[in-house]
């Protein structure tokens, strides 16, 4: 096959590492040209205490962290630079320029342009719940889905120039709720309320994840687990990825979280269909 190319469109600086980082690093290591587009500047994200005083420079800090992380993953970075929105209820969300509030078409063309330039056979983004209902994740999903279907249409976004290009597959990042059930049990045993998690206590862990039967692809990231951890650690203003399960011994984290899961959105999967990899069985080109 000709050069394999993958484009992942994700909402925030850190989503590439904390999310499908092991998979992105694995494909990059296998010679796939991996492109990561990050929609927002991350300036409304919650920060660890030591970074509270440098809030004004947060966008710049997060850009540097992201550049370092993406380099570790072995990918190429594209920053779209939209203004970060907060989680549901955050005052940052009243800003008309916040990513969640801008007109969809205003952002979709950016992804169309990336697809026509990079010409990825495979596109990856958040699922329609955004993983945990963050408005920026949902927005990234919406514009990527729209762009995926528009990029190959010569009638759409003609003003951008460039050859229309239709990627062959669209995948969503996802995680099964099976281990989440176990994890919420552990949280309760530790005296934590799984319905009020995250630094702002606004994430309901009992409402996350999807049944394993809805996953079409699972990737064993054992070989790139350390790479993912190293990339995650670059996001120091976000706690370096240690917050979620940092109290667990590393070997146990690796054992529990080495699989990364994806839902195939296009072409639609038949019931029970499973893919062996992003590029398995697709036509060259
Ligand atoms: Zn995010």
């Amino acid at each position: 096959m000709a050069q394999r190319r993958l484009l992942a469109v994700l909402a925030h600086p850190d989503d590439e590492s904390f999310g499908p980082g092991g998979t992105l690093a694995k494909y990059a290591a296998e010679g796939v040209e991996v492109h990561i587009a990050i929609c927002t500047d991350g300036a409304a994200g919650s920060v660890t205490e030591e970074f509270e005083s440098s809030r004004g420079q947060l966008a710049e800090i997060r850009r540097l962290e992201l550049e370092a992380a993406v380099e570790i993953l072995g990918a190429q970075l594209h920053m779209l630079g939209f203004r970060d929105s907060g989680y549901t209820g955050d005052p940052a969300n009243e800003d008309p320029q916040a990513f969640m509030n801008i007109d969809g078409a205003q952002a979709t063309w950016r992804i169309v342009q990336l697809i026509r330039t990079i010409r990825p056979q495979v596109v990856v983004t958040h699922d329609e719940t955004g993983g945990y209902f963050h408005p920026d994740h949902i927005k990234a999903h919406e514009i990527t889905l729209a762009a995926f279907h528009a990029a190959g249409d010569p009638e759409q976004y003609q003003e951008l120039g460039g050859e229309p290009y239709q990627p062959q597959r669209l995948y969503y990042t996802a995680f099964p709720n099976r281990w989440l059930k176990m994890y919420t049990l552990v949280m309760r045993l530790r005296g934590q309320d799984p319905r009020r998690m995250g630094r702002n206590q606004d994430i309901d862990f009992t409402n996350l994840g999807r049944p394993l039967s809805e996953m079409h692809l699972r990737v064993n990231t054992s070989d790139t687990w350390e790479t993912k951890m190293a990339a995650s650690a670059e996001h120091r203003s976000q706690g370096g990825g240690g917050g979620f399960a940092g109290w667990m011994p590393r070997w146990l984290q690796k054992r529990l979280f080495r699989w990364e899961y994806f839902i195939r959105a296009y072409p639609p999967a038949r019931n029970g269909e499973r893919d062996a990899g992003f590029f398995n069985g697709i036509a060259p080109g």
Side-chain angles (χ1 to χ4, degrees):
M1 183 190 284
Q3 175 65 50
R4 294 175 296 169
R5 292 175 300 271
L6 182 151
L7 169 65
V9 183
L10 301 164
H12 303 115
D14 73 19
D15 288 326
E16 81 299 333
S17 298
F18 298 174
T23 301
L24 298 175
K26 183 184 168 97
Y27 276 89
E30 288 173 6
V32 173
E33 201 179 293
V34 176
H35 295 261
I36 296 172
I38 298 295
C39 296
T40 73
D41 58 13
S46 54
V47 289
T48 56
E49 226 162 90
E50 59 177 308
F51 282 89
E52 204 53 72
S53 59
S54 43
R55 254 210 174 274
Q57 293 90 52
L58 191 55
E60 176 64 8
I61 290 169
R62 298 202 63 185
R63 184 177 66 79
L64 294 171
E65 291 175 344
L66 176 63
E67 284 173 357
V70 168
E71 194 177 328
I72 289 171
L73 296 178
Q76 296 178 47
L77 175 63
H78 307 267
M79 283 200 81
L80 302 188
F82 290 107
R83 198 169 295 173
D84 198 7
S85 324
Y87 199 60
T88 312
D90 190 301
N93 297 353
E94 280 150 39
D95 184 343
Q97 286 304 313
F99 183 48
M100 63 177 283
N101 295 330
I102 59 167
D103 178 48
Q106 252 189 60
T108 302
W109 73 266
R110 302 284 302 276
I111 313 295
V112 170
Q113 194 173 44
L114 278 178
I115 291 175
R116 288 182 181 171
T117 311
I118 297 165
R119 304 172 73 80
Q121 295 94 343
V122 174
V123 175
V124 178
T125 189
H126 303 286
D127 76 351
E128 64 274 19
T129 73
Y132 67 110
F133 305 98
H134 193 297
D136 285 334
H137 286 222
I138 294 170
K139 186 77 167 203
H141 161 83
E142 289 169 354
I143 65 170
T144 306
L145 180 60
F148 181 88
H149 292 293
D153 181 350
E155 306 282 308
Q156 293 196 59
Y157 297 94
Q158 282 175 338
E159 66 281 9
L160 294 179
E163 283 276 301
Y165 179 83
Q166 181 57 57
Q168 297 181 45
R169 286 188 183 169
L170 176 64
Y171 284 94
Y172 299 152
T173 61
F175 43 91
N177 53 14
R178 194 172 60 174
W179 65 258
L180 260 167
K181 282 189 185 132
M182 186 184 71
Y183 193 74
T184 54
L185 177 70
V186 174
M187 279 177 183
R188 288 203 166 97
L189 292 173
R190 286 169 56 85
Q192 295 169 303
D193 181 352
R195 286 162 305 161
R196 299 173 59 81
M197 293 305 291
R199 227 167 267 133
N200 302 315
Q201 305 198 325
D202 50 7
I203 300 172
D204 181 353
F205 264 60
T206 63
N207 193 24
L208 303 184
R210 305 172 67 137
L212 200 56
S213 59
E214 291 179 14
M215 313 290 158
H216 302 119
L217 170 62
R218 62 173 201 164
V219 178
N220 184 343
T221 66
S222 296
D223 292 345
T224 46
W225 173 260
E226 294 301 333
T227 310
K228 173 177 177 156
M229 289 300 104
S232 297
E234 289 294 336
H235 292 286
R236 284 182 196 90
S237 70
Q238 306 303 301
F244 169 60
W247 51 273
M248 280 185 198
R250 284 276 270 237
W251 65 265
L252 182 59
Q253 291 182 43
K254 180 172 174 178
R255 208 162 157 73
L256 287 176
F257 306 124
R258 72 195 145 140
W259 294 99
E260 291 177 353
Y261 293 85
F262 300 88
I263 291 168
R264 196 179 85 206
Y266 186 88
R270 292 185 306 275
N271 219 356
E273 193 176 355
R274 294 287 176 269
D275 291 342
F278 284 140
F279 294 88
N280 288 57
I282 67 174

